[in-house]
């Protein structure tokens, strides 16, 4: 498996497949978020937060942009902040704007919290390991 594929995740367009074949595919913040949401999709607390809504990407993104602090939404946000900063290195302000107009200090807090949780929390260690395998595997 290389950096551009993820099992079970549907490809958004045929153009993406062509770009991958040509080697011109670029990982985007939206692509990173889709992969992170895929990692959290089986979390029972996420289904509880969604309530009667369907467990799909668009519904989860709407909740992520809200001020909702119910677990696991902040954890998904923190993972997103960490991986976008690590892989794409945009400004903290730009990262915060993508998920509900948050400021740079919120992004800094999220990145630090994600690092801390991935060192001490068992579930976070597993999620971080899965995301690391996906994002940090060299392109073949």
């Amino acid at each position: 498996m290389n950096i551009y594929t993820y099992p079970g995740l549907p490809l958004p367009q045929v153009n993406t497949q062509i770009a991958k074949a040509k080697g011109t595919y670029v990982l985007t913040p939206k692509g990173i978020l889709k992969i992170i949401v895929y990692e959290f999709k089986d979390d029972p607390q996420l289904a509880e937060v969604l309530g009667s809504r369907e467990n799909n990407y668009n519904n989860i993104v709407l909740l992520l942009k809200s001020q909702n602090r119910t677990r696991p939404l902040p954890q998904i946000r923190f993972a997103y902040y960490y991986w976008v900063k690590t892989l794409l290195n945009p400004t903290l302000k730009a990262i915060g704007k993508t998920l509900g107009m948050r400021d740079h200090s919120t992004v800094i807090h999220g990145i630090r919290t994600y690092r801390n949780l991935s060192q001490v929390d068992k579930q976070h260690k597993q999620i971080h390991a899965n995301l690391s395998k996906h994002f940090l595997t060299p392109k073949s």
Side-chain angles (χ1 to χ4, degrees), residues 23-38:
T24 57
Y25 182 72
V26 177
L27 196 58
T28 62
K30 184 178 180 180
I32 292 170
L33 184 58
K34 281 188 175 189
I35 293 165
I36 292 169
V37 166
Y38 181 82

